Amino acid sequence: MPILPLGRSGHVIGTIFARGSQTRKTTFTNAEVAAIHASRGHWLVDHCWGGWLAILDDDSLDGTAIIRDASPALPVFYAAAEGHDHFTNAGHRLISAGVARPVPDPDYARQILAWPGLQTARVGIRGISELLPGQRFRRAADTPITSLWSPWNFTGADQAITDRATAIDLVRRETLACVAAWARYCEKPLLELSGGLDSSIIAAALRQGRIAADAVTFATAARDGDERHFARIVAGHTGLALHEATISQGASPLTGTRTPTLRPGTHPTLSGIDAVFSKHANAIGADAFLSGTGGDNIFCYISTASPLLDVIGSPRPRSPILWTLQDLARLHETTAWHVARSAWRRARRRAPLWRHADDMITADAAAIDRDPHPWLDVPTGTLPGKLDHVRALLRIQAVLHTNDRSTARPMHYPLLSQPLVEACLRIPTWRWIENGRDRSVARAAFDDLLPEAVLARRTKGRLEHQSMQLYLANREAIRDLLLTGWLAAQDIADRRVIERYTADDSPPRDDGYYRLFDLVGVELWARAWLD
């Protein structure tokens, strides 16, 4: 991993780009070093991006400061032991160094099951925490952890890009630049190509940048999990060499990796995908994966009527209100009256900041309070749609760095790069659903680079049938695992409910089986530490 000096009292570790540049920085000028120290690291967050960690040590900081960049690209974990703070991007090193005891934390399991999809500073081993994106750590400060970056800095009315043409141009520019920067950093990247909009945009950006890459797609035995038709169209249009893989329907969700990790790894229903993608990466000698994960989140794919509330609450002429009402009706294939009623209900009720879940776990486990996260400190006056947008950005953090294939080679998420994230947050939610199309700005930004079949596509690949078949084939093993396992012993898994649900051998009529897979993932994670 690259290490760049910051004068005589600091370093930057990782991949770092200057704003507006697609070339990795290899040095800092004396003026830049002075600005970095004078700003206590803030200059780096404002003028650079990538996946990096900065270490600053000078008198103005009253000790050492550790700064993480604003993206999820490079995770940073830390722990205190014997009067010292230890930092690393690989949490297992803190365990092997004896800084923390390798015992799974029951409160962490309760937290992630009661508040699914919320990733905070807490990890599954007590004594270890994560420094979140955009945060600075200074032990000597009155408040050791402060946020130098927040998504809320880009959601206010003073930041809004309301002009459609300007928004489209900005999203195109930043997407092309971010994809090119990450792809050129690789020697032989492998794009995970579903044929959906987000991965297709990355394929188009690779072609536009004249960057050679291979692509891989997968199909399940069920039709809802087979997107090869779209992947082939995109690969043919962009000139990518496409490798196709088939996921075995008989693969057990209980036979995934048992390597101990700070958080649960690949979701049990996705272990087959992990295996085939790794196999193809090995076969072609790929040195990194490129993924469109996060595109839905940052391109504002939201399914509520909140864009209507946003346009009503925006300090601008009211002319878009009727258009937004009609756009939402077209998008959701319903009536304007239904959209208006949904918006009215949303405006009247105070929705919780995060969804709470109590199914399949005991009442005591579900009663755990939600851990704090700085992005959930919502500024006064925030529009409902922008709250949805930021929550979507936060939600995706929980699925990054959890797949097992990323342990062998880097996994890059270009669509979650800081410059693109900031650009998208500035665009009003009602712009994202214009003309009744989700991710409307992104579609328009690449309408000349993508095949019409992708631009017009309204469906998404699903794994419901595959997941249900996995459940039915492994129902008894799942029941035994959860009724006799660590979660049950910690009074987290609700044995009575699980036993009743798994006693029925007919195909489930609800999605409770998917919730069981969530518990299976946590159970397997805990056993990896205990075995």
Side-chain angles (χ1 to χ4, degrees):
M1 190 174 293
I3 301 178
L4 305 182
L6 296 174
R8 296 181 178 179
S9 55
H11 294 84
V12 171
I13 303 172
T15 305
I16 186 166
F17 305 97
R19 288 283 181 147
S21 173
Q22 301 174 21
T23 304
R24 183 170 59 86
K25 282 185 73 69
T26 57
T27 186
F28 290 90
T29 66
N30 291 336
E32 289 173 336
V33 171
I36 291 168
H37 285 285
S39 66
R40 299 186 174 188
H42 220 304
W43 187 95
L44 282 167
V45 176
D46 290 342
H47 293 84
C48 300
W49 65 281
W52 52 265
L53 163 71
I55 305 170
L56 303 180
D57 191 4
D58 60 34
D59 293 339
S60 69
L61 291 165
D62 298 322
T64 302
I66 307 295
I67 302 165
R68 178 179 171 181
D69 85 276
S71 81
L74 183 68
V76 177
F77 304 100
Y78 65 95
E82 299 180 353
H84 297 282
D85 297 305
H86 303 258
F87 289 81
T88 179
N89 69 314
H92 63 85
R93 292 175 183 165
L94 297 172
I95 304 293
S96 58
V99 176
R101 293 181 59 234
V103 179
D105 181 4
D107 280 342
Y108 169 77
R110 295 182 182 97
Q111 182 70 209
I112 63 173
L113 290 171
W115 302 97
L118 177 60
Q119 181 166 292
T120 65
R122 188 198 293 252
V123 301
I125 302 297
R126 284 180 179 165
I128 300 177
S129 299
E130 181 177 4
L131 189 66
L132 298 175
Q135 288 189 331
R136 179 181 62 200
F137 177 96
R138 288 196 302 145
R139 174 62 69 190
D142 293 337
T143 303
I145 296 177
T146 54
S147 292
L148 303 186
W149 185 95
S150 170
W152 299 116
N153 295 340
F154 307 93
T155 61
D158 61 327
Q159 290 287 318
I161 301 173
T162 58
D163 179 70
R164 177 173 171 80
T166 302
I168 291 170
D169 177 68
L170 182 60
V171 167
R172 180 183 176 108
R173 234 180 327 113
E174 295 294 6
T175 303
L176 291 175
C178 292
V179 172
W182 284 114
R184 290 193 177 117
Y185 184 63
C186 311
E187 292 185 6
K188 191 175 181 59
L190 179 61
L191 171 62
E192 299 178 355
L193 180 64
S194 67
L197 179 65
D198 306 322
S199 62
S200 299
I201 283 177
I202 294 182
L206 291 172
R207 181 190 183 190
Q208 189 73 359
R210 299 182 180 179
I211 301 169
D214 284 38
V216 62
T217 192
F218 74 90
T220 65
R223 182 176 296 180
D224 66 348
D226 189 349
E227 297 183 277
R228 287 176 296 181
H229 169 68
F230 291 103
R232 290 165 185 163
I233 291 174
V234 175
H237 189 81
T238 58
L240 292 174
L242 180 64
H243 307 269
E244 299 182 10
T246 302
I247 308 298
S248 170
Q249 193 162 317
S252 172
L254 309 184
T255 58
T257 179
R258 300 295 291 274
T259 303
T261 53
L262 293 188
R263 295 183 173 113
T266 299
H267 195 271
T269 61
L270 303 177
S271 57
I273 298 173
D274 237 3
V276 298
F277 279 6
S278 294
K279 176 182 176 181
H280 282 273
N282 292 334
I284 68 169
D287 67 324
F289 288 106
L290 295 177
S291 171
T293 297
D296 282 354
N297 309 74
I298 203 55
F299 292 150
C300 204
Y301 187 93
I302 54 180
S303 57
T304 70
S306 58
L308 181 59
L309 296 177
D310 284 10
V311 75
I312 293 173
S314 297
R316 56 170 284 112
R318 297 292 185 257
S319 56
I321 293 178
L322 182 57
W323 299 340
T324 302
L325 182 63
Q326 294 170 339
D327 289 339
L328 282 167
R330 289 175 58 191
L331 175 64
H332 298 294
E333 298 180 331
T334 187
T335 65
W337 169 250
H338 180 78
V339 171
R341 187 171 54 185
S342 297
W344 180 74
R345 285 199 299 263
R346 169 74 185 269
R348 289 192 65 194
R349 63 182 173 87
R350 183 180 177 86
L353 279 178
W354 204 266
R355 181 179 71 88
H356 181 257
D358 59 4
D359 48 326
M360 305 290 181
I361 60 176
T362 63
D364 286 344
I368 190 168
D369 291 335
R370 174 177 61 79
D371 278 350
H373 192 288
W375 297 1
L376 291 180
D377 295 333
V378 184
T380 301
T382 295
L383 296 172
K386 274 303 160 191
L387 174 57
D388 289 345
H389 201 174
V390 171
R391 277 191 297 211
L393 176 61
L394 177 53
R395 191 176 300 115
I396 198 61
Q397 312 290 314
V399 304
L400 308 174
H401 308 295
T402 59
N403 51 68
D404 298 327
R405 59 188 180 277
S406 64
T407 59
R409 50 183 58 81
M411 175 77 75
H412 298 310
Y413 305 98
L415 302 184
L416 291 172
S417 299
Q418 181 184 346
L420 180 58
V421 168
E422 292 174 357
C424 292
L425 288 173
R426 296 178 62 194
I427 300 170
T429 56
W430 44 269
R431 282 291 184 205
W432 290 104
I433 52 92
E434 280 189 311
N435 301 314
R437 305 173 82 186
D438 60 73
R439 297 163 288 176
S440 174
V441 175
R443 291 180 193 273
F446 287 88
D447 61 1
D448 62 328
L449 299 180
L450 290 175
E452 180 58 31
V454 171
L455 291 170
R457 184 180 177 187
R458 285 182 172 267
T459 60
K460 276 181 166 290
R462 304 292 181 189
L463 294 175
E464 277 84 351
H465 186 273
Q466 174 83 357
S467 299
M468 183 178 291
Q469 293 306 310
L470 283 174
Y471 168 72
L472 292 173
N474 296 275
R475 178 179 56 83
E476 293 184 3
I478 290 172
R479 179 183 62 204
D480 293 343
L481 181 79
L482 295 179
L483 293 182
T484 62
W486 180 79
L487 286 174
Q490 298 295 327
D491 194 32
I492 297 173
D494 191 324
R495 301 185 206 191
R496 181 179 56 82
V497 173
I498 292 171
E499 188 167 20
R500 184 170 65 244
Y501 190 93
T502 55
D504 186 354
D505 60 3
S506 60
R509 296 182 179 181
D510 58 19
D511 58 0
Y513 68 94
Y514 203 82
R515 172 66 164 175
L516 285 177
F517 279 130
D518 292 341
L519 271 69
V520 166
V522 178
E523 179 70 35
L524 294 177
W525 163 78
R527 291 192 180 196
W529 285 107
L530 298 171
D531 287 350

